[in-house]
Amino acid sequence: GRFTRPAGEEDLSRAIEAVRKMAIPGVVDLFDASLVVAEYFLRPAFPQINLHYTRQNVTAGRIESAQREKRYRELWGSAVYDDVLALNQCDLQLHAATVAEVYARMAVVPQAQERMDDFRSRCKELVNSEEGLHPVPLERNVGLRRAAGQKFTD
């Protein structure tokens, strides 16, 4: 798509509604919680589902929000920073709504803390194993079915 206008309230409302209708909403900053919720709600359809993982492409030493704001104000100047912040208000509100949705779904997961502890334990075991998870390259025009080792007849 093309950028033809800044996002507005109607766009934000539609996006928030889409998040609420998603089977598996998630945010990176709540990645583990998002996957614990996904495992719980997908398990009836996929009884063997396990979404534990090894962390990859992780930013080291995240800067606190206040420090980040100060840094960007210094680099860009206050006027540019304020413009960027204003243009991103819908994104920030959508992120906040998605975080709230993940928390709301986690709140209805039975034994959520125990599930989270188990999930993190499985992730840790995966890191410490020689097995690990390795992406399976997809062959052109074959798609996910082949990569997942599934045998389907079309």
Side-chain angles (χ1 to χ4, degrees):
R2 288 184 286 175
F3 179 80
T4 56
R5 62 177 174 71
E9 289 299 318
E10 185 178 324
D11 301 303
L12 177 60
S13 294
R14 279 197 323 262
I16 290 172
E17 186 60 29
V19 166
R20 289 184 179 138
K21 289 179 178 179
M22 284 180 184
I24 310 298
V27 289
V28 172
D29 39 332
L30 292 176
F31 196 63
D32 288 0
S34 299
L35 293 178
V36 168
V37 169
E39 282 184 349
Y40 175 75
F41 285 105
L42 290 174
R43 186 149 283 124
F46 305 98
Q48 301 302 315
I49 193 165
N50 284 308
L51 299 176
H52 55 287
Y53 65 98
T54 57
R55 295 178 68 171
Q56 298 177 16
N57 195 23
V58 178
T59 303
R62 295 211 41 62
I63 300 171
E64 291 297 321
S65 181
Q67 291 175 320
R68 192 170 44 245
E69 177 183 344
K70 181 181 176 191
R71 179 177 171 212
Y72 290 134
R73 279 190 185 280
E74 289 171 358
L75 286 170
W76 302 340
S78 287
V80 171
Y81 180 85
D82 290 340
D83 287 346
V84 169
L85 188 62
L87 288 169
N88 282 284
Q89 282 306 300
C90 287
D91 294 326
L92 295 170
Q93 291 175 40
L94 178 59
H95 177 265
T98 307
V99 166
E101 186 65 24
V102 170
Y103 278 130
R105 292 185 190 200
M106 189 67 152
V108 299
V109 171
Q111 301 160 335
Q113 187 59 56
E114 290 85 355
R115 290 175 192 270
M116 179 66 81
D117 293 344
D118 175 67
F119 179 82
R120 288 186 171 150
S121 175
R122 288 186 281 129
C123 289
K124 191 178 216 179
E125 288 172 14
L126 190 61
V127 168
N128 294 330
S129 75
E130 292 180 18
E131 188 177 316
L133 288 181
H134 305 285
V136 176
L138 298 178
E139 294 177 28
R140 189 170 192 184
N141 298 324
V142 176
L144 188 57
R145 290 188 250 178
R146 173 78 179 260
Q150 305 277 340
K151 296 187 190 251
F152 290 95
T153 55
D154 290 339

